[in-house]
Amino acid sequence: MEERPGSAWFGLPAMLAVATFVAAITAVEGLGGLIVAIVAVPVLFLVIGLAMTLADRR
């Protein structure tokens, strides 16, 4: 089965990123919430990448 180009953007990591962004914005109000959200989303992707790397080793 061919994979559609760009379909990875709509997978589970993207849904988790959106949920993280919304949670950070609602938890910390104002500009601080935006900054926390901007930092939290890349950290989430790094954690997912680390988990996938460690899972491949086992």
Side-chain angles (χ1 to χ4, degrees):
M1 175 184 274
E2 277 188 42
E3 189 173 331
R4 294 174 293 173
S7 64
W9 286 103
F10 300 108
L12 183 61
M15 287 186 271
L16 289 174
V18 170
T20 302
F21 192 82
V22 171
I25 292 285
T26 57
V28 182
E29 294 185 17
L31 185 61
L34 182 63
I35 293 170
V36 169
I38 289 172
V39 170
V41 170
V43 168
L44 173 72
F45 278 107
L46 289 173
V47 168
I48 291 171
L50 179 64
M52 297 306 293
T53 301
L54 293 176
D56 285 343
R57 292 184 183 173
R58 291 184 181 209

